């Protein structure tokens, strides 16, 4: 088929594909680590199953429209890459996480997508089917924008940008811009609309990066001292006062819990970032 895209539309579509192909590789270091350590280390599979579901939806949407080869190529690669990530995750995840991932795949990626496929095929025809599926894709894409909100909340709370690498935010923004312009020039509301939010959140993340890039995350010794002091209170009973020597142990335990929580936040945010990255690049 000869492409009917204008040169400008084709250019933005190609750029969108190139950025998408590059950022699909963003989780590679994570999965290399998973393979080497034979452990998922607490990483979550949800971002990858969601990204796969998004790619499947947009691939189906593009297949219903004429001359959407650029959307098809981006989301075909997305489906393949996310499937590989999920397969590696299932291979090395503990039993409970593996079972949870398989349930999500069956319920969402097979059951959910299969239901959408069947319902749209039998209950809608022609342009109506395209519109219905387009709004389903928009609704799902908008829903995944909860990810950057949670990331920004963690950055503000911790005053640390380790949860939000600058280049990740930059490429998210570039991806949103490319697909936004592609959708606008193609007069495709369903492609353009989600990427308006993608652009806004990408810019906000970069602003947060500039604000907090010089902050250093340290354990607040003053807060730890205050928490210890709270244990000893003049109004305490004799029993409570006698338990004071354990306050140091409690402080150490709290510090360890804080560090463990921070480590878990890093893993969760990294997975969320990467999953969010894939979803945006596919639209």
């Amino acid at each position: 088929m000869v492409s009917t895209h204008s040169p400008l539309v084709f250019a933005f579509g190609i750029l969108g594909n190139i950025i998408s192909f590059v950022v699909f590789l963003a989780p590679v270091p994570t999965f290399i680590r998973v393979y080497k350590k034979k452990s998922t280390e607490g990483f979550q599979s949800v971002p990858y199953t969601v990204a796969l579901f998004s790619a499947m939806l947009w691939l189906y949407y593009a297949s219903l429209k004429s001359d959407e080869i650029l959307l098809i190529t981006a989301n075909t690669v997305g489906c393949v890459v996310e499937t590989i990530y999920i397969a590696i995750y299932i291979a090395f995840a503990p039993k409970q996480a593996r079972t949870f991932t398989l349930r999500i795949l069956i319920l969402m990626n097979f059951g959910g997508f299969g239901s959408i496929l069947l319902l749209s095929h039998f209950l809608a025809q022609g342009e109506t089917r395209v519109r219905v599926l387009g709004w389903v894709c928009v609704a799902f894409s908008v829903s995944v924008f909860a990810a950057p909100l949670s990331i920004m909340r963690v950055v503000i709370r911790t005053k640390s940008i380790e949860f939000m690498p600058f280049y990740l935010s930059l490429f998210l923004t570039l991806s949103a811009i490319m697909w936004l312009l592609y959708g606008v020039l193609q007069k495709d509301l369903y492609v353009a609309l989600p990427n308006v939010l993608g652009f806004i959140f990408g810019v906000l993340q970069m602003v947060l990066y500039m604000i907090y890039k010089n902050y250093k995350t340290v354990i607040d010794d003053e807060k730890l001292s205050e928490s210890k002091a709270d244990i000893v209170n003049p109004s305490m009973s004799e029993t409570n006062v006698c338990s004071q020597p354990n306050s140091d142990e409690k402080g150490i335990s709290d510090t360890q819990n804080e560090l463990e929580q921070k480590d878990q936040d890093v893993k969760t945010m990294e997975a969320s970032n990467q999953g969010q990255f894939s979803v945006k690049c596919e639209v």
Side-chain angles (χ1 to χ4, degrees), residues 155-224:
V155 170
I156 294 172
R157 178 171 59 84
T158 63
K159 294 182 171 58
S160 171
I161 57 171
E162 64 183 307
F163 305 102
M164 189 180 65
F166 176 77
Y167 288 106
L168 184 64
S169 300
L170 176 62
F171 276 100
L172 281 171
T173 307
L174 290 176
S175 173
I177 291 173
M178 293 303 106
W179 289 114
L180 172 60
L181 293 174
Y182 175 87
V184 169
L185 294 174
Q186 270 289 87
K187 298 180 180 179
D188 192 328
L189 174 67
Y190 310 114
V191 172
L193 190 58
N195 286 288
V196 173
L197 290 178
F199 170 71
I200 293 172
F201 283 122
V203 170
L204 289 176
Q205 287 184 45
M206 288 192 292
V207 169
L208 283 178
Y209 182 92
M210 299 306 294
I211 293 174
Y212 293 112
K213 67 178 181 178
N214 293 323
Y215 278 76
K216 292 184 179 180
T217 304
V218 295
I219 297 175
D220 193 342
D221 293 331
E222 292 183 1
K223 288 185 178 179
L224 288 176

Side-chain angles (χ1 to χ4, degrees), residues 69-117:
I69 186 64
L70 295 174
L71 274 179
I72 290 174
T73 53
N75 289 286
T76 299
V77 172
C79 285
V80 173
V81 171
E82 299 300 335
T83 299
I84 293 173
Y85 291 155
I86 293 170
I88 295 173
Y89 184 92
I90 291 174
F92 296 108
K95 182 177 179 181
Q96 185 175 0
R98 183 186 302 117
T99 302
F100 176 77
T101 301
L102 291 173
R103 286 177 179 173
I104 292 293
L105 283 173
I106 293 172
L107 291 174
M108 182 171 67
N109 298 80
F110 291 100
F113 180 76
S115 299
I116 292 172
L117 185 68

Side-chain angles (χ1 to χ4, degrees), residues 3 8 41 78 162 183 220 230 239 255 261 275:
S3 176
L8 195 57
E41 298 184 302
E162 64 183 307
D220 193 342
D230 287 341
T239 303
T255 302
Q261 181 62 43

Side-chain angles (χ1 to χ4, degrees), residues 126-146:
E127 287 299 316
T128 302
R129 182 189 301 169
V130 174
R131 287 195 297 271
V132 170
L133 189 60
W135 283 114
V136 170
C137 291
V138 169
F140 184 78
S141 297
V142 169
S143 69
V144 302
F145 287 118

Side-chain angles (χ1 to χ4, degrees), residues 2 30 33 58 87 102 117 141 179 183 192 213 226 238 247 280:
V2 179
T30 296
R33 187 161 74 243
W58 285 106
L102 291 173
L117 185 68
S141 297
W179 289 114
K213 67 178 181 178
E226 290 175 2
E238 183 178 353
S247 62
K280 286 188 178 181

